[in-house]
Coordinates of all heavy atoms in Angstrom, one line a residue:
A28 N 3.0 7.1 9.0 CA 3.8 6.9 7.8 C 4.2 5.3 7.7 O 3.9 4.6 6.7 CB 5.1 7.7 7.7
R131 N 10.5 1.2 -1.7 CA 10.9 2.3 -0.8 C 9.7 3.1 -0.5 O 8.9 3.5 -1.5 CB 12.0 3.1 -1.5 CG 12.5 4.2 -0.7 CD 13.8 4.7 -1.1 NE 14.8 3.7 -0.8 CZ 16.0 3.6 -1.5 NH1 16.3 4.5 -2.5 NH2 16.8 2.7 -1.1
L132 N 9.5 3.5 0.7 CA 8.4 4.3 1.2 C 9.0 5.8 1.2 O 10.1 6.0 1.8 CB 7.9 4.0 2.5 CG 6.9 5.0 3.2 CD1 5.6 4.9 2.4 CD2 6.7 4.5 4.6
Y133 N 8.3 6.7 0.5 CA 8.6 8.1 0.4 C 7.7 9.0 1.2 O 6.5 8.7 1.2 CB 8.8 8.6 -1.0 CG 10.0 8.0 -1.7 CD1 10.0 6.9 -2.5 CD2 11.1 8.8 -1.7 CE1 11.1 6.4 -3.2 CE2 12.2 8.4 -2.5 CZ 12.2 7.1 -3.1 OH 13.3 6.8 -3.9
R134 N 8.2 10.1 1.7 CA 7.3 11.1 2.3 C 7.6 12.4 1.6 O 8.7 12.8 1.3 CB 7.6 11.3 3.8 CG 6.9 12.5 4.5 CD 7.4 12.7 5.9 NE 7.1 11.7 6.8 CZ 8.0 11.0 7.5 NH1 9.2 11.0 7.2 NH2 7.6 10.0 8.4
L135 N 6.5 13.2 1.3 CA 6.7 14.5 0.7 C 7.3 15.5 1.6 O 6.8 15.7 2.6 CB 5.4 14.9 0.1 CG 5.4 16.3 -0.7 CD1 6.2 16.2 -2.0 CD2 4.0 16.7 -1.1
G136 N 8.3 16.1 1.0 CA 9.0 17.3 1.8 C 8.4 18.5 1.1 O 7.3 18.8 1.1
E137 N 9.5 19.3 0.6 CA 9.0 20.5 -0.2 C 8.8 20.2 -1.6 O 9.6 19.7 -2.2 CB 10.3 21.5 0.0 CG 9.9 22.9 -0.8 CD 11.1 23.8 -0.6 OE1 12.0 23.5 0.0 OE2 11.0 24.9 -1.4
L138 N 7.6 20.4 -1.9 CA 7.1 20.1 -3.3 C 7.7 21.0 -4.3 O 7.7 22.2 -4.2 CB 5.5 20.3 -3.3 CG 4.9 19.9 -4.7 CD1 5.1 18.5 -5.0 CD2 3.3 20.3 -4.6
T139 N 8.2 20.3 -5.3 CA 8.8 21.0 -6.5 C 8.0 20.6 -7.7 O 8.0 19.4 -8.1 CB 10.3 20.7 -6.6 OG1 11.0 21.1 -5.5 CG2 10.9 21.5 -7.8
R245 N -2.3 17.9 0.2 CA -1.7 18.7 1.2 C -2.5 20.0 1.5 O -2.7 20.3 2.7 CB -0.2 19.1 0.8 CG 0.5 19.9 1.8 CD 1.9 20.2 1.6 NE 2.8 19.0 2.0 CZ 4.0 19.0 1.9 NH1 4.7 19.9 1.2 NH2 4.8 17.9 2.4
E251 N 0.8 14.2 6.2 CA 1.8 13.2 5.6 C 1.3 12.9 4.2 O 0.1 12.4 4.1 CB 1.8 11.9 6.5 CG 2.4 12.2 7.8 CD 3.8 12.0 8.0 OE1 4.5 12.1 7.0 OE2 4.2 11.5 9.1
V252 N 2.0 13.1 3.2 CA 1.7 12.6 1.8 C 2.8 11.6 1.5 O 4.0 11.9 1.5 CB 1.7 13.8 0.8 CG1 1.2 13.2 -0.6 CG2 0.8 14.9 1.3
L253 N 2.3 10.4 1.2 CA 3.2 9.2 1.1 C 3.1 8.5 -0.2 O 2.1 8.6 -0.9 CB 3.0 8.2 2.2 CG 3.0 8.8 3.7 CD1 2.3 7.9 4.7 CD2 4.4 9.2 4.1
L254 N 4.0 7.8 -0.6 CA 4.0 6.8 -1.7 C 5.1 5.7 -1.7 O 6.1 6.0 -1.0 CB 4.1 7.5 -3.1 CG 5.2 8.5 -3.5 CD1 6.4 7.6 -4.0 CD2 4.8 9.4 -4.5
F255 N 4.8 4.6 -2.2 CA 5.7 3.6 -2.4 C 6.2 3.5 -3.8 O 5.5 3.6 -4.8 CB 5.1 2.2 -2.1 CG 4.9 1.9 -0.6 CD1 3.8 2.2 0.0 CD2 5.9 1.3 0.1 CE1 3.6 1.9 1.4 CE2 5.8 0.9 1.4 CZ 4.7 1.3 2.1
T256 N 7.5 3.1 -4.0 CA 8.0 2.8 -5.3 C 8.7 1.4 -5.4 O 9.0 0.8 -4.3 CB 9.1 3.8 -5.7 OG1 10.2 3.7 -4.8 CG2 8.5 5.2 -5.7
N264 N 11.8 6.3 -9.2 CA 12.4 6.8 -7.9 C 13.1 8.1 -8.1 O 13.1 9.0 -7.3 CB 13.4 5.7 -7.4 CG 12.8 4.5 -6.8 OD1 12.6 4.5 -5.6 ND2 12.4 3.5 -7.6
G265 N 13.7 8.3 -9.3 CA 14.3 9.6 -9.6 C 13.2 10.7 -9.7 O 13.4 11.8 -9.3
L266 N 12.1 10.4 -10.3 CA 11.0 11.4 -10.6 C 10.6 11.8 -9.2 O 10.4 13.1 -9.1 CB 9.9 10.6 -11.4 CG 8.6 11.4 -11.4 CD1 8.8 12.7 -12.2 CD2 7.6 10.6 -12.1
Y267 N 10.2 10.9 -8.4 CA 9.6 11.3 -7.1 C 10.5 12.1 -6.3 O 10.1 13.1 -5.5 CB 9.0 10.2 -6.4 CG 8.0 9.4 -7.2 CD1 8.0 8.1 -7.4 CD2 6.9 10.1 -7.7 CE1 7.0 7.4 -8.0 CE2 5.9 9.5 -8.5 CZ 6.0 8.1 -8.6 OH 4.9 7.5 -9.3
R268 N 11.8 11.8 -6.3 CA 12.8 12.6 -5.6 C 12.8 14.1 -6.1 O 13.0 15.0 -5.3 CB 14.2 12.0 -5.5 CG 14.3 10.8 -4.7 CD 15.8 10.4 -4.5 NE 16.4 9.9 -5.6 CZ 16.4 8.6 -6.2 NH1 15.9 7.7 -5.5 NH2 17.1 8.3 -7.3
R269 N 12.8 14.1 -7.4 CA 12.9 15.5 -8.1 C 11.6 16.4 -7.6 O 11.7 17.5 -7.5 CB 13.0 15.4 -9.5 CG 14.3 14.8 -10.0 CD 14.4 15.1 -11.5 NE 13.5 14.2 -12.4 CZ 13.7 13.2 -12.7 NH1 14.7 12.5 -12.4 NH2 12.8 12.4 -13.4
I270 N 10.5 15.7 -7.5 CA 9.2 16.4 -7.1 C 9.2 16.8 -5.6 O 8.7 17.9 -5.2 CB 8.0 15.5 -7.2 CG1 7.7 15.2 -8.8 CG2 6.8 16.1 -6.6 CD1 6.7 14.3 -9.1
G271 N 10.1 16.1 -4.8 CA 10.3 16.5 -3.3 C 10.0 15.4 -2.5 O 10.0 15.7 -1.1
Y272 N 9.8 14.2 -2.8 CA 9.5 13.1 -2.0 C 10.9 12.6 -1.4 O 12.0 12.6 -2.1 CB 8.9 11.9 -2.7 CG 7.4 12.1 -2.8 CD1 7.0 12.8 -3.9 CD2 6.5 11.7 -1.9 CE1 5.5 13.1 -4.0 CE2 5.2 11.9 -1.9 CZ 4.7 12.6 -3.0 OH 3.3 12.8 -3.0
R273 N 11.0 12.3 0.0 CA 12.2 11.8 0.5 C 12.0 10.4 1.1 O 11.0 10.2 1.7 CB 12.5 12.9 1.7 CG 12.9 14.2 1.1 CD 14.0 14.3 0.2 NE 14.4 15.6 -0.4 CZ 14.1 15.8 -1.6 NH1 13.5 14.9 -2.5 NH2 14.4 17.1 -2.1
P274 N 13.1 9.6 1.2 CA 12.9 8.2 1.7 C 12.6 8.2 3.1 O 13.1 9.0 3.9 CB 14.4 7.6 1.4 CG 15.0 8.4 0.4 CD 14.4 9.9 0.6
V275 N 11.7 7.2 3.5 CA 11.4 7.0 4.9 C 12.0 5.6 5.3 O 12.7 5.6 6.4 CB 9.8 6.9 5.1 CG1 9.5 6.5 6.5 CG2 9.2 8.3 4.7
A276 N 11.7 4.6 4.6 CA 12.2 3.2 4.9 C 12.1 2.3 3.7 O 11.3 2.6 2.8 CB 11.4 2.6 6.1
D277 N 12.9 1.2 3.7 CA 12.9 0.3 2.6 C 12.1 -0.9 3.1 O 12.2 -1.4 4.2 CB 14.3 -0.2 2.2 CG 14.9 0.9 1.4 OD1 14.4 1.9 1.0 OD2 16.1 0.7 1.1

Side-chain angles (χ1 to χ4, degrees):
R131 180 161 292 159
L132 175 64
Y133 285 90
R134 174 193 288 119
L135 181 62
E137 182 177 352
L138 179 64
T139 301
R245 178 171 275 179
E251 299 263 28
V252 186
L253 308 163
L254 57 79
F255 280 94
T256 64
N264 283 269
L266 168 64
Y267 298 130
R268 286 195 296 269
R269 289 193 296 275
I270 291 173
Y272 281 88
R273 298 295 177 258
V275 175
D277 286 355

